[in-house]
């Protein structure tokens, strides 16, 4: 990771740690769209997120049930949330 990106991530994590009590292990909620985009980009989320967040992580996914006759989920935007304890 580039130094400037690492500094920004460290700064933002410090903000959330001090103001909202977010601490390790980070619980990250991922939706199917985010996972699908990572798969297309050949990004290993289980390996990359702990390196980016500089700490231990737990990945959680949302459940999505498709009706049989409708078109599958159309992504609106990527979804990544840190869950506070």
């Amino acid at each position: 990771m580039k130094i400037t990106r690492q500094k920004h991530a460290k700064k933002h994590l410090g903000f959330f740690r001090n103001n909202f009590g977010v601490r390790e292990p980070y619980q990250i909620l991922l939706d199917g769209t985010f996972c699908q985009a990572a798969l297309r980009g050949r990004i290993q989320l289980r390996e990359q997120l702990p390196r980016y967040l500089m700490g231990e992580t737990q990945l959680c996914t949302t459940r999505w049930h498709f009706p049989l006759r409708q078109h599958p989920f159309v992504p609106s935007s990527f979804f990544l949330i840190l869950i506070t304890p």
Side-chain angles (χ1 to χ4, degrees):
M1 182 181 333
K2 292 185 178 182
I3 299 298
T4 55
R5 192 178 311 161
Q6 187 176 17
K7 284 183 180 180
H8 286 288
K10 196 173 197 176
K11 177 183 172 186
H12 293 301
L13 282 173
F15 172 79
F16 282 104
R17 189 179 309 114
N18 292 331
N19 293 314
F20 299 107
V22 176
R23 41 179 210 273
E24 290 186 42
Y26 300 115
Q27 294 180 348
I28 302 172
L29 179 63
L30 306 169
D31 75 339
T33 308
F34 188 83
C35 295
Q36 192 175 41
L39 184 64
R40 278 193 209 130
R42 296 185 179 147
I43 298 170
Q44 301 294 324
L45 290 176
R46 211 172 279 283
E47 295 172 7
Q48 294 295 323
L49 284 175
R51 287 162 86 202
Y52 187 76
L53 296 174
M54 296 170 274
E56 189 179 332
T57 59
Q58 291 178 345
L59 301 180
C60 308
T61 57
T62 59
R63 288 184 178 217
W64 185 262
H65 299 286
F66 297 112
L68 295 175
R69 296 182 187 170
Q70 290 184 351
H71 191 270
F73 178 70
V74 178
S76 57
S77 62
F78 294 147
F79 189 69
L80 172 70
I81 296 179
L82 278 141
I83 303 170
T84 57

